[in-house]
Amino acid sequence: WLELGSYEGRSAIWTLANALTHPSSGITCVDMWGNMSSERRFDANLAAVHETARVVKIKSHWRQALRQLQGARFAGAYIDADHRAASVLSQSVLIWPLIEPGGIVIWDDYELRPETGVIPVRTGVDAFLAAFEGKYQMLHKSWQVIVSKTSDA
């Protein structure tokens, strides 16, 4: 599983406890952790639930991390690293080839009202969905958008 935007690790912990329950499953968490306190909380939160062995932590900008991960395959991805439409669209396009057919992609904050002058997450997600029409099945569309990848083409 791939997570862009891990912050304090709470979504990674939830995913490990509720979706990635097999002991051999794991999650790759990508975040820049712009301040030390959020990175320390991420490390402490994962250590507190004894999950550090199932986590690959990549401290990097999402763009560099996704280049590093090219060729890898994931059962799913959670996208919550940037709330600007252009970034969300870029993340989505770069992640899509990494997701196995049948895999899940989740975008967070679809209904978030952005700061003035910022094009919202919704615009980036909608652009991706329009461009990849026929390659996914819509599972949920509200605060989060969830699709299942149906085609590798």
Side-chain angles (χ1 to χ4, degrees), residues 44-64:
N45 287 341
L46 288 165
V49 295
H50 310 289
E51 289 292 10
T52 56
R54 297 199 303 144
V55 176
V56 173
K57 177 182 167 185
I58 300 176
K59 184 176 181 175
S60 174
H61 187 276
W62 60 264
R63 194 171 285 120
Q64 286 77 29

Side-chain angles (χ1 to χ4, degrees), residues 1-12 14-15 31 76-85 87-89 91-92 95 104-114 119-126 128-129 138 140-147:
W1 191 263
L2 175 62
E3 179 178 83
L4 291 188
S6 297
Y7 192 50
E8 295 179 346
R10 289 179 286 177
S11 59
W14 185 93
T15 301
D31 204 304
Y78 181 71
I79 301 173
D80 190 24
D82 193 322
H83 294 108
R84 295 171 296 166
S87 293
V88 171
L89 177 57
Q91 292 162 9
S92 304
I95 281 174
I104 303 293
V105 177
I106 303 169
W107 291 269
D108 197 23
D109 301 321
Y110 180 76
E111 295 182 352
L112 182 71
R113 299 177 71 77
I119 301 172
V121 169
R122 172 189 297 267
T123 303
V125 172
D126 288 346
F128 175 84
L129 294 174
M138 180 66 65
H140 179 78
K141 193 170 188 182
S142 184
W143 187 263
Q144 293 183 327
V145 174
I146 306 172
V147 300

Side-chain angles (χ1 to χ4, degrees), residues 21-104:
T21 57
H22 192 276
S24 68
S25 63
I27 189 167
T28 298
C29 296
V30 176
D31 204 304
M32 289 186 357
W33 288 284
N35 65 61
M36 290 299 294
S37 63
S38 63
E39 184 177 8
R40 280 194 296 270
R41 281 192 301 275
F42 173 88
D43 294 336
N45 287 341
L46 288 165
V49 295
H50 310 289
E51 289 292 10
T52 56
R54 297 199 303 144
V55 176
V56 173
K57 177 182 167 185
I58 300 176
K59 184 176 181 175
S60 174
H61 187 276
W62 60 264
R63 194 171 285 120
Q64 286 77 29
L66 290 176
R67 270 189 282 234
Q68 174 186 336
L69 292 169
Q70 289 306 304
R73 296 292 274 191
F74 295 93
Y78 181 71
I79 301 173
D80 190 24
D82 193 322
H83 294 108
R84 295 171 296 166
S87 293
V88 171
L89 177 57
S90 295
Q91 292 162 9
S92 304
V93 168
L94 292 172
I95 281 174
W96 195 251
L98 306 179
I99 304 302
E100 299 169 348
I104 303 293

